[in-house]
Amino acid sequence: MSRYERIIELLTTLFPVWVILGTVIGIYKPAAVTWLETDLFTVGLGFLMLSMGLTLTFEDFRRCMRNPWTVGVGYLAQYLVKPMLGFVIAMVLKLSAPLATGLILVSCCPGGQASNVATYISKGNVALSVLMTTCSTIGAIVMTPLLTKLLAGQLVPVDAAGLAISTFQVVLVPTVVGVLAHEYFPKFTERIITITPLIGVILTTLLCASPIGQVSEVLKVQGAQLIVPVALLHVAAFALGYWLSRLSSFGESTSRTISIECGMQSSALGFLLAQKHFTNPLVAVPSAVSVVCMALGGSALAVFWRNTPIPADDKDDFKE
């Protein structure tokens, strides 16, 4: 690698450090990050997906579609394994009703866009990650309110049309634009592709710090007691996602992708739903803590895997 590429690699590898820094700023200097409000937040997510799309081709997606079972396993992990984990942890640790409800709510949320960045850094399958994020987000229209009702006894109304439009605008359109740029302007794309991981890291850090800043005062009071249950939820989800994939005879690259997709869900959606549909402000706190644990755990795992070579004979789960 050139000196420039080595610097980019180093800054990308420090992903967990930037997440910790963003968390500290969000808690103690919230004004520095809360400017990233709804509209800018959406633009930031769009740029995040655009940077990922630049690394992909339509053939990547076609290859993933040849084995839909991979998306199916990820979907089961997201909407069966993880919600049960949230419920069991809340019951075993005897959390108060609002905090237990908040933990269950965030465990029922779909995959988050940050998982696509972490997958790219970990040398997983980014096209598969984007497909899984899209499928679980569309599924959230039904699954998130249904599972929260079943497990927490609360009905969480979800704006189905709004969620579907947001998914289209924030995930699909920027990704397709990036893929088209890669297809039709390959020379330009190859020149900027080395910096896309760092762009993803910077945007993810900002998008994680903003929700933390919005509830910084509540986090200072209630956050500590939620670190253990929320961290347990994410660690168990990462581990189960990986080992379920290995037991399903998937290769290392695919298993890394499913693990990250399962462990990094859209905590921002949980935060938004808790604020909009629950009167008790404590219900939103688990989602805010989850933003930290999800980003920190996912970034650390991604960096670890980035420095762990994938076997040369790794199984291709998407061949004809």
Side-chain angles (χ1 to χ4, degrees):
M1 291 189 294
S2 66
R3 184 181 179 184
Y4 165 77
E5 289 173 328
R6 284 198 299 272
I7 293 173
I8 295 296
E9 179 73 12
L10 174 62
L11 293 174
T12 302
T13 304
L14 291 173
F15 194 2
V17 176
W18 308 137
V19 171
I20 294 171
L21 184 61
T23 300
V24 172
I25 292 172
I27 292 175
Y28 295 103
K29 295 288 184 182
V33 290
T34 50
W35 54 268
L36 196 66
E37 296 178 344
T38 306
D39 290 340
L40 284 175
F41 198 91
T42 302
V43 172
L45 285 174
F47 270 108
L48 186 63
M49 297 313 301
L50 175 63
S51 69
M52 292 300 97
L54 289 170
T55 69
L56 302 172
T57 66
F58 286 117
E59 179 58 26
D60 292 327
F61 289 99
R62 283 193 288 267
R63 293 180 75 247
C64 291
M65 298 290 282
R66 291 169 193 155
N67 190 352
W69 175 233
T70 52
V71 177
V73 168
Y75 199 86
L76 287 173
Q78 191 73 257
Y79 286 127
L80 179 63
V81 175
K82 196 161 187 179
M84 289 307 301
L85 279 174
F87 177 79
V88 169
I89 290 170
M91 295 302 104
V92 169
L93 296 182
K94 298 179 180 178
L95 297 180
S96 64
L99 295 181
T101 301
L103 185 68
I104 291 169
L105 171 61
V106 78
S107 73
C108 296
C109 286
Q113 285 75 31
S115 63
N116 308 137
V117 180
T119 297
Y120 180 65
I121 292 171
S122 71
K123 299 178 182 177
N125 188 318
V126 180
L128 174 62
S129 179
V130 171
L131 280 176
M132 291 174 66
T133 298
T134 303
C135 290
S136 66
T137 303
I138 293 171
I141 294 168
V142 174
M143 300 303 290
T144 296
L146 176 63
L147 290 170
T148 305
K149 167 107 176 135
L150 290 174
L151 297 175
Q154 301 266 5
L155 178 62
V156 184
V158 175
D159 180 2
L163 189 56
I165 292 170
S166 295
T167 302
F168 181 76
Q169 291 175 333
V170 175
V171 179
L172 290 180
V173 173
T175 301
V176 171
V177 169
V179 174
L180 287 171
H182 194 166
E183 292 275 344
Y184 293 103
F185 306 99
K187 290 182 179 179
F188 169 75
T189 304
E190 290 301 323
R191 283 201 298 269
I192 65 172
I193 207 170
T194 54
I195 202 173
T196 51
L198 183 57
I199 292 172
V201 166
I202 294 169
L203 286 172
T204 300
T205 301
L206 282 172
L207 295 172
C208 290
S210 180
I212 293 166
Q214 293 177 45
V215 292
S216 58
E217 293 305 315
V218 182
L219 278 177
K220 289 176 186 176
V221 179
Q222 300 286 341
Q225 65 177 297
L226 280 167
I227 290 175
V228 171
V230 174
L232 273 176
L233 173 67
H234 287 287
V235 169
F238 282 125
L240 286 172
Y242 182 80
W243 290 111
L244 277 174
S245 304
R246 298 302 283 173
L247 289 172
S248 300
S249 300
F250 293 147
E252 176 67 17
S253 178
T254 302
S255 299
R256 292 181 183 186
T257 304
I258 294 176
S259 170
I260 289 174
E261 194 67 28
C262 184
M264 297 184 76
Q265 82 289 334
S266 183
S267 305
L269 175 63
F271 182 75
L272 179 65
L273 292 176
Q275 285 191 317
K276 287 183 67 174
H277 303 296
F278 289 89
T279 54
N280 193 323
L282 291 181
V283 178
V285 178
S287 292
V289 177
S290 175
V291 168
V292 181
C293 293
M294 174 268 295
L296 188 56
S299 60
L301 191 58
V303 170
F304 170 76
W305 272 331
R306 187 175 185 82
N307 294 287
T308 305
I310 292 177
D313 60 347
D314 187 42
K315 181 185 176 186
D316 183 357
D317 297 301
F318 310 102
K319 62 186 176 183
E320 290 285 2

